[in-house]
Amino acid sequence: MDDLSTIPANLDHLIITVPELAAGVAEFERLTGVKAVAGGRHPGRGTANYLIGLTPAGWPEGAHTYLEILGPDPQQEAPADGTLPLDAHLAKGLTLQTWAIHPHAFLAKVAGANTEGIDFGEVRDMSRETAEGELLEWRLTSRSPLPSKGTQPFLIDWGESTHPAEAALPSVELLEFSIESPDAEESRRALDVRGAGDTQVVEGTEHRLHARLRGPGGVLEF
């Protein structure tokens, strides 16, 4: 039975990294039966993305969440040091790399994390043009390397921009989402400070994200 309680209420989006965008999008479609649509480019950062809506059954109508497939932009030169945002250059295939939440009171959460000794990195202003030419602007917390190998989310605030999930995206169901951690108690504390305390955390041998997606063509598990 699908356990909707495993899906955090503040989930903004999941990020899958791929070594080559066209191939990654094709593989996702092969496994789920859903073809992602072009999102846009990240000028100066060497990446572009494709998007798929996420529809957790039972969520309130109008809830915004989506899946981002992120990879090297073939129309940009790679950064001089060869690294890409979110370590996308390390992906060997479809890799569930990390996730984002959109808590209420973005800056208050950042301040609270600093008080609790949790390193968010820095707050960055970001922007990109959509495939339709619309400018999206947002701010997020950014840290490298990713905290707890990407299992701890970064925070995002879309401000006045239209949330990407409001577009007419093809979608898959998000059936399950959880975190594996060698220190589940500490992971739960860090999640709670971030505003994602309702995330399911299980004890494990390493930090890993788990998700189960369902499309008309099949189920994809990470």
Side-chain angles (χ1 to χ4, degrees):
M1 180 179 296
D2 303 336
D3 184 0
L4 299 175
S5 66
T6 68
I7 302 171
N10 283 340
L11 173 65
D12 189 87
H13 65 283
L14 305 180
I15 297 173
I16 291 175
T17 54
V18 294
E20 200 273 314
L21 266 174
V25 169
E27 178 68 358
F28 187 91
E29 182 180 10
R30 184 184 72 82
L31 294 170
T32 66
V34 176
K35 185 175 183 178
V37 299
R41 304 168 58 199
H42 306 111
R45 298 180 65 79
T47 53
N49 63 18
Y50 281 72
L51 308 179
I52 305 102
L54 291 178
T55 57
W59 269 32
E61 186 175 351
H64 296 152
T65 184
Y66 66 101
L67 177 71
E68 174 181 5
I69 300 178
L70 178 74
D73 181 0
Q75 298 184 40
Q76 291 188 65
E77 290 188 11
D81 62 2
T83 64
L84 294 174
L86 303 179
D87 290 337
H89 57 286
L90 299 177
K92 303 299 183 184
L94 296 176
T95 303
L96 182 56
Q97 188 80 323
T98 190
W99 57 302
I101 60 172
H102 56 267
H104 300 294
F106 175 89
L107 291 178
K109 284 296 181 187
V110 173
N114 289 334
T115 299
E116 294 292 328
I118 293 176
D119 182 11
F120 270 121
E122 60 179 323
V123 175
R124 288 186 175 179
D125 293 320
M126 304 282 290
S127 66
R128 70 169 172 85
E129 279 194 5
T130 68
E132 296 74 32
E134 178 187 357
L135 180 65
L136 296 183
E137 296 180 290
W138 66 94
R139 56 184 174 176
L140 52 73
T141 58
S142 176
R143 202 194 90 178
S144 182
L146 293 171
S148 300
K149 296 183 178 179
T151 58
Q152 290 292 327
F154 62 90
L155 274 59
I156 192 165
D157 175 18
W158 291 97
E160 300 301 317
S161 287
T162 301
H163 192 278
E166 291 185 35
L169 298 175
S171 65
V172 297
E173 293 178 89
L174 175 60
L175 302 177
E176 295 178 9
F177 179 76
S178 64
I179 288 171
E180 181 181 329
S181 170
D183 188 347
E185 183 176 348
E186 175 57 27
S187 290
R188 291 188 187 100
R189 185 186 77 86
L191 286 165
D192 188 55
V193 171
R194 285 171 163 82
D198 56 345
T199 307
Q200 182 180 10
V201 181
V202 297
E203 199 79 33
T205 57
E206 59 183 292
H207 292 288
R208 287 191 294 189
L209 289 173
H210 295 276
R212 187 158 65 99
L213 311 171
R214 181 170 63 197
V219 173
L220 173 58
E221 296 195 44
F222 294 94

